[in-house]
Amino acid sequence: MTRLRGRAPRVVSLVPSLTEAVAVTAPGLLVGATDWCVHPAGLDAARIGGTKNPDVPAVLALRPDLVLANEEENRPADLEALRDGGAQVLVTTVRTLDQGLTVLGEVLAACGAPRRPRWLAEAEEAWAAVEPVAGGAAAVVPIWRRPWMVLGRDTFAGDLLARLGVRNLYADHPERYPRVPLAELTGAGPELVVLPDEPYRFTPDDGPEAFPGAAAALVDGRMLTWYGPSLARAPRLLARDLRAALR
């Protein structure tokens, strides 16, 4: 998409991490965002429902030039309805760090950002210098409870953890987010359990007790799963939490 003559493009984002990336880089472009788009604070954009249940008529009423979506976070039926209504929809796929960094550059260019942001270069530099602080510790990485679900193969979060030296015991599972009974998870013999605070909000009192004998790293889910400005700080903060758990 190229910049429209006479005005900046009108952008609606259905992806919280892309919302933050666009809002920080090119303030004023976003006219709509989901209820889950909580960064940056005070974002001035119409709220159009959730990532899984956007209000399609409300999105179309905003007359967007571009709608940002993701193949994992948004439902194909909603995206098709937006296209049927005349919206141009850019659907991203992000399963590795390198893919995420590339997609961010492409999305910002599509939104008409005047230049490549400094935070994106800082994120690339930070991850290029990352050290595998976890030392290959065998781990499970739950993302939900009741039922238990964990990171499996080909996930963005899994790639970040692998770069930090975490060996995901389910990295070769046929599913990307398999449901695994707790007895099987503990029976796999993890040395480490990585517990993010989103999408399920694991806390010191809700999660670690299920994995006796394993070190528990409670991490910021945004640092682990968002691709955007947070990537510049993510390696430092995730490494800090992993080190603390494995002492």
Side-chain angles (χ1 to χ4, degrees):
M1 172 183 156
T2 58
R3 183 183 292 276
L4 302 180
R5 290 185 180 180
R7 65 176 175 86
R10 296 172 61 83
V11 179
V12 171
S13 175
L14 305 181
V15 187
S17 55
L18 293 181
T19 297
E20 182 183 24
V22 174
V24 168
T25 304
L29 291 186
L30 285 169
V31 296
T34 75
D35 298 338
W36 297 104
C37 295
V38 295
H39 295 282
L43 176 65
D44 183 16
R47 298 297 170 163
I48 46 75
T51 57
K52 303 296 186 187
N53 58 343
D55 184 335
V56 171
V59 174
L60 295 174
L62 292 170
R63 297 177 291 106
D65 298 302
L66 184 65
V67 177
L68 304 178
N70 176 264
E71 53 95 24
E72 186 172 87
E73 295 198 47
N74 308 119
R75 301 184 306 175
D78 294 323
L79 304 184
E80 191 60 31
L82 288 167
R83 293 189 184 97
D84 290 344
Q88 179 180 350
V89 182
L90 191 164
V91 183
T92 59
T93 298
V94 177
R95 299 191 179 185
T96 67
L97 172 64
D98 290 341
Q99 197 172 26
L101 294 169
T102 297
V103 161
L104 284 165
E106 293 172 349
V107 165
L108 294 172
C111 290
R115 64 188 62 84
R116 200 167 189 270
R118 177 59 190 161
W119 63 258
L120 187 51
E122 290 172 351
E124 292 172 334
E125 293 164 4
W127 282 100
V130 77
E131 297 180 0
V133 297
V140 294
V141 190
I143 57 167
W144 201 256
R145 184 172 190 169
R146 305 180 192 96
W148 287 95
M149 298 175 66
V150 298
L151 293 185
R153 62 173 181 83
D154 298 336
T155 68
F156 176 76
D159 187 41
L160 297 193
L161 289 173
R163 292 167 185 263
L164 288 160
V166 174
R167 182 167 62 87
N168 180 6
L169 290 170
Y170 289 87
D172 295 325
H173 195 280
E175 299 177 25
R176 297 181 64 224
Y177 301 103
R179 296 185 181 190
V180 184
L182 180 60
E184 181 179 330
L185 293 177
T186 56
E191 303 166 76
L192 172 69
V193 55
V194 180
L195 298 165
D197 62 6
E198 63 174 77
Y200 185 93
R201 187 172 182 80
F202 288 104
T203 69
D205 300 319
D206 185 358
E209 81 291 342
F211 298 88
L218 289 151
V219 302
D220 185 331
R222 180 165 159 243
M223 296 299 122
L224 184 60
T225 62
W226 286 40
Y227 40 96
S230 58
L231 279 173
R233 295 183 294 132
R236 174 174 57 84
L237 296 178
L238 292 172
R240 177 200 64 189
D241 294 338
L242 291 170
R243 286 194 188 98
L246 291 166
R247 280 181 188 148

